[in-house]
Amino acid sequence: MRAAVLHEIGQDKLEILDDVEAVGFGPGRVRIRIRATGLCHSDLSAMSGVLPQPAPFVPGHEGAGEVVEVGENVRHLKAGDRVVVCWLPACGACAACKRGQTQLCLAGFMNAGTPNFKRAGQDVFGFAGTGTFTEEVVVDAGCAVPIPDDVPFDIAALIGCGVTTGLGAALNTADLTAGSSVAVIGCGGVGISTVQGARLRGAAEIVAVDPVEARREAALRFGATRAVAPEELADAKQQVTAGEGFDYVFEVVGRSATARTAYENTRRGGTLVVVGAGALDDHLRLSMFELFFDEKRILPSLYGGGDVLRSYERTIALWRAGRIDLEGLITHRVPLSGIDEALEQMRTGTALRTCIEI
Ligand SMILES: [Zn+2]
Ligand SMILES: [Zn+2]
């Protein structure tokens, strides 16, 4: 079958190969025919080495498709079921799961060193234990979450990562209050989802910050009240908050430099939410004085910062009711063979989300 493979970390192009085999089927496992997958910024970060990932590997972790077959002991699924791929499956039994913080369950990472694919006698890994830039993938049953029939595959794929991450940052982690002032730094698919979450919660002002004009324009369509380039943020802060700083600032880039900017633009006593996925060796610097004296709350948000399956259900309910726009997040569509085009659109910031239809 066909899959897009990165041979070595640091390469910037994927090769579409047709001799890849999905391996690991057995008890507790599910084989999925992928129908749609989004390109998320974390895929690029894994390719470049910012996020740790063994190679060669099949990127992609934001996908949806149909179940082809289920292994022994899999009771919640059958062949033909429509599913979203969850890259952070909850075991249901660990301390984090029992607290309802399934986004912190590490069970899925136990398989991270196990290859999901094989070709020409060589092991091929899947990104984050999944790997969705492929026709088929075999995953733990917990990674296959059934979706209602009215949710199309392209929308379901978005729920698998970007939308859950961005919306959850506003609704779960920040638990944003009505009337507040908000800045969102980084307005790709995740940042735009945060903008929508802030709008849902009744934020008075939502300032979208992004160097790419197309993304700023998109942010305004999705509910931002202003959209500025990074160098205009200081002016926006002055105009919106009289220089005090925003009640909430969301860092949706994953770099210490933007996190520092976000910290400085948060008001004293306000909340900085760190959503971007950053590197192991990129350190955010804060002085002990400012940390204690300014009492800014720093809240990291992993995969929406809440119970993952409940977040999926909430997203579907909001989408069905027309309260959030998910169709509008898909700005480009390509077949698997157009994957390089998708990578280019992500790197240049011309796409909010490119949907790869398989
Ligand atoms: Zn668990
Ligand atoms: Zn992602």
Side-chain angles (χ1 to χ4, degrees), residues 13-235:
K13 280 198 160 54
L14 296 169
E15 189 180 0
I16 310 288
L17 299 168
D18 58 10
D19 61 347
V20 181
E21 191 191 336
V23 298
F25 184 73
R29 310 274 287 173
V30 177
R31 184 187 304 278
I32 302 172
R33 171 69 174 87
I34 299 291
R35 293 292 176 193
T37 176
L39 174 61
C40 177
H41 201 270
S42 301
D43 296 309
L44 291 185
S45 299
M47 290 171 63
S48 67
V50 166
L51 295 177
Q53 170 64 38
F57 77 102
V58 174
H61 58 287
E62 189 183 89
E66 289 150 341
V67 172
V68 178
E69 56 175 337
V70 301
E72 276 172 56
N73 308 325
V74 178
R75 299 189 209 294
H76 72 294
L77 292 167
K78 58 180 189 315
D81 282 355
R82 299 152 56 87
V83 292
V84 56
V85 175
C86 171
W87 56 268
L88 231 174
C91 74
C94 72
C97 283
K98 284 180 184 158
R99 287 186 201 107
Q101 293 179 306
T102 62
Q103 82 278 17
L104 300 181
C105 178
L106 291 173
F109 286 91
M110 299 309 168
N111 292 325
T114 310
N116 293 52
F117 306 95
K118 197 168 237 164
R119 71 168 292 259
Q122 186 187 29
D123 285 338
V124 178
F125 298 89
F127 179 42
T130 56
T132 56
F133 295 173
T134 173
E135 290 175 333
E136 282 187 10
V137 63
V138 173
V139 294
D140 267 336
C143 296
V145 179
I147 46 165
D149 285 345
D150 64 331
V151 184
F153 290 125
D154 53 359
I155 297 299
L158 292 176
I159 293 171
C161 187
V163 170
T164 295
T165 300
L167 262 188
L171 303 182
N172 297 329
T173 308
D175 196 11
L176 233 145
T177 49
S180 50
S181 59
V182 174
V184 179
I185 302 179
C187 290
V190 178
I192 294 284
S193 299
T194 301
V195 167
Q196 297 204 73
R199 191 204 61 214
L200 277 174
R201 278 294 174 88
E205 288 270 9
I206 305 169
V207 179
V209 187
D210 199 286
V212 180
E213 193 184 351
R215 289 185 167 188
R216 296 198 296 271
E217 284 168 6
L220 292 170
R221 288 198 302 276
F222 284 90
T225 55
R226 297 165 193 243
V228 300
E231 60 274 17
E232 298 164 329
L233 176 56
D235 278 349

